[in-house]
Amino acid sequence: MPDGAELDGHHAMRLETGVALINALTGKYAHGRAKPLLGGRELVRAAADAIEGDGRVDLLAAERLRDLASRLREVVEALSRNEDDQAAGLLNRMLADSRARPVLHRHDERPWHLHFHSPDADLVQQWVAGLVVSVAAAFGEHIPHRVGLCAAPRCDQVYVDASQAQIKRYCGLACQNRVKAAAYRARVRRSDP
């Protein structure tokens, strides 16, 4: 994709879902606070919310989605260390494991569209194949500059930078404001005699 090209809408949506899964199901900190390790109903609810409320999520599916989120986090962490080759290797393994392959599907009277899983795939297989293909499709031009880990202390949330300038460093305004407030307090302390 040429520099400045936009990511396909379907892949962009999947990338956002991947980030939602990573943030909901993995990581130790969010916005300066420790995150609890989710289990049981909380894990099921968080997984279902991340994939936009799909009611077919049970505990086994939620655990499998957490595994997917952990593997996607490894890719983002490698990219944040500028280890693109390692990230590509991780993605290639995920593509092979997902057995993703393009297949045209048609639901009811809707138009034909492309999926990357077999028609009989379960919920998690569907998400794994779709997310991994979307992340791989975005990898070359978009991911290294558009996805990152929050730079705020005690926050390891992942973000997608949709700005033209590609200068986002924080997962959101809460962390950006926390860092700015801490820097201000430090300057005030240094200037007080």
Side-chain angles (χ1 to χ4, degrees):
M1 289 178 222
D3 196 26
E6 290 300 314
L7 185 58
D8 167 89
H10 177 77
H11 291 310
M13 181 180 70
R14 291 287 179 157
L15 186 58
E16 290 282 351
T17 301
V19 167
L21 272 172
I22 292 168
N23 288 339
L25 306 181
T26 69
K28 295 180 181 176
Y29 300 99
H31 317 298
R33 294 190 172 100
K35 288 173 59 175
L37 180 61
L38 299 176
R41 288 183 193 185
E42 293 84 15
L43 176 61
V44 171
R45 187 175 310 115
D49 288 349
I51 60 173
E52 299 178 4
D54 194 310
R56 300 177 291 162
V57 177
D58 60 15
L59 185 56
L60 179 59
E63 290 169 348
R64 291 172 59 208
L65 286 167
R66 179 167 39 200
D67 180 58
L68 167 63
S70 295
R71 293 181 76 187
L72 289 171
R73 176 176 283 282
E74 289 180 49
V75 172
V76 174
E77 288 174 350
L79 289 170
S80 72
R81 296 186 304 266
N82 294 317
E83 295 173 358
D84 293 3
D85 291 345
Q86 180 183 0
L90 292 166
L91 273 174
N92 280 333
R93 279 192 295 285
M94 290 177 75
L95 282 165
D97 292 347
S98 75
R99 290 179 254 130
R101 60 182 172 79
V103 178
L104 286 170
H105 283 262
R106 186 173 189 187
H107 306 284
D108 304 319
E109 295 300 315
R110 295 164 135 184
W112 289 93
H113 57 279
L114 193 60
H115 280 253
F116 292 94
H117 55 79
S118 67
D120 60 336
D122 69 23
L123 174 74
V124 177
Q125 290 168 327
Q126 292 173 24
W127 278 104
V128 168
L131 286 172
V132 173
V133 167
S134 291
V135 171
F139 184 77
E141 280 296 317
H142 296 281
I143 295 245
H145 309 291
R146 299 286 186 175
V147 176
L149 292 172
C150 185
R154 293 182 50 88
C155 187
D156 58 9
Q157 296 287 279
V158 174
Y159 63 82
V160 175
D161 184 356
S163 70
Q164 281 189 326
Q166 299 180 23
I167 57 171
K168 188 170 182 173
R169 296 182 52 226
Y170 304 104
C171 64
L173 284 175
C175 280
Q176 181 178 341
N177 290 341
R178 268 189 325 112
V179 170
K180 286 182 177 182
Y184 172 77
R185 287 190 300 272
R187 282 192 307 274
V188 168
R189 277 193 301 274
R190 284 193 305 269
S191 67
D192 285 343

